[in-house]
Amino acid sequence: TQLLEQSPQFLSIQEGENLTVYCNSSSVFSSLQWYRQEPGEGPVLLVTVVTGGEVKKLKRLTFQFGDARKDSSLHITAAQPGDTGLYLCAGAIGSGGSYIPTFGRGTSLIVHP
Amino acid sequence: KAGVTQTPRYLIKTRGQQVTLSCSPISGHRSVSWYQQTPGQGLQFLFEYFSETQRNKGNFPGRFSGRQFSNSRSEMNVSTLELGDSALYLCASSLLPGTSGRAMPDTQYFGPGTRLTVL
């Protein structure tokens, strides 16, 4: 069972389209992070959301943390080919008395010119 | 300033061998985390070191071990390699670890990874 479920798994769109990817869990998080990973590279942190209901904007990217702090979404407006990559959400999940950094399996996005 | 460096970038080993991977964090960063990334399981946390002490450990067998040196550089070792250990091993550095362990580590900067293939 994946503790952080991301959907959709794959997304192939044309330049200029809008899209939303989701990150869901039954666990409550003190914070969630979103990363983008390009082929041959490590993930790069995009944003950290901390407060339930919080909305953060990073140029054309809008991140939202659910009110109950169990889910998050990433919306991209007018996608560009440079947005292509694997989008990962991550949070610390309790396990055996400690908290383990946990990543979703990601949404693989391809934006065609 | 220089980013996180990992060596080697590619490695091919055979079953039963052992391997040591190296990570040099960003200058001034004292926390180093290791992750394994595979197509099937995604990105999974191995362990985190801060000031030469292992602060946190994921659900991996004891064949996976690590250490951190006084200069914050870190190594991870995998003994008795299995085919399933083939993966991209990523190192991430941050100034500080997660707050009280309930949060993700402070802003993590990932290296490019070491691609390990076990034959």
Side-chain angles (χ1 to χ4, degrees):
Chain A
T1 302
Q2 193 68 15
L3 298 175
L4 274 169
E5 297 282 351
Q6 289 192 246
S7 61
Q9 190 175 356
F10 300 101
L11 202 50
S12 179
I13 63 172
Q14 294 297 126
E15 182 175 1
E17 292 184 28
N18 301 332
L19 67 118
T20 302
V21 299
Y22 300 92
C23 174
N24 295 291
S25 177
S26 57
S27 301
V28 176
F29 294 92
S30 59
S31 64
L32 272 180
Q33 296 180 333
W34 284 92
Y35 293 80
R36 179 172 65 218
Q37 183 177 21
E38 298 183 22
E41 300 180 9
V44 175
L45 179 66
L46 297 173
V47 76
T48 300
V49 286
V50 178
T51 306
E54 179 178 9
V55 176
K56 281 191 173 179
K57 292 192 175 184
L58 185 67
K59 297 183 181 178
R60 294 175 294 99
L61 278 60
T62 301
F63 304 85
Q64 185 160 8
F65 200 12
D67 291 340
R69 293 185 289 126
K70 293 183 177 181
D71 55 83
S72 182
S73 63
L74 158 59
H75 181 79
I76 301 179
T77 303
Q80 298 177 358
D83 296 326
T84 293
L86 179 67
Y87 288 82
L88 298 159
C89 66
I93 290 183
S95 174
S98 61
Y99 283 81
I100 305 299
T102 301
F103 283 74
R105 292 194 181 169
T107 292
S108 181
L109 171 66
I110 297 175
V111 182
H112 301 278
Chain B
K1 56 185 173 182
V4 178
T5 58
Q6 292 188 244
T7 56
R9 289 294 310 276
Y10 301 92
L11 203 51
I12 298 176
K13 292 285 187 179
T14 56
R15 280 181 298 174
Q17 287 187 310
Q18 74 165 15
V19 67
T20 299
L21 311 181
S22 181
C23 171
S24 292
I26 292 171
S27 177
H29 285 194
R30 295 165 60 195
S31 177
V32 173
S33 297
W34 287 90
Y35 296 85
Q36 180 196 67
Q37 188 173 30
T38 61
Q41 297 299 319
L43 224 159
Q44 294 184 287
F45 172 76
L46 280 156
F47 26 66
E48 179 187 29
Y49 286 87
F50 178 72
S51 294
E52 301 178 66
T53 301
Q54 187 180 89
R55 271 185 58 97
N56 209 352
K57 188 178 189 304
N59 299 319
F60 278 81
R63 300 186 296 108
F64 293 82
S65 62
R67 58 177 175 169
Q68 186 180 33
F69 302 96
S70 58
N71 61 358
S72 294
R73 190 177 70 84
S74 178
E75 289 181 347
M76 68 161 283
N77 184 78
V78 188
S79 62
T80 319
L81 284 166
E82 301 176 359
L83 295 179
D85 296 333
S86 294
L88 180 67
Y89 288 89
L90 292 159
C91 162
S93 81
S94 56
L95 277 171
L96 297 171
T99 303
S100 302
R102 287 184 60 91
M104 291 290 287
D106 186 32
T107 303
Q108 294 186 101
Y109 296 85
F110 281 83
T114 293
R115 173 72 63 184
L116 172 65
T117 301
V118 182
L119 302 176

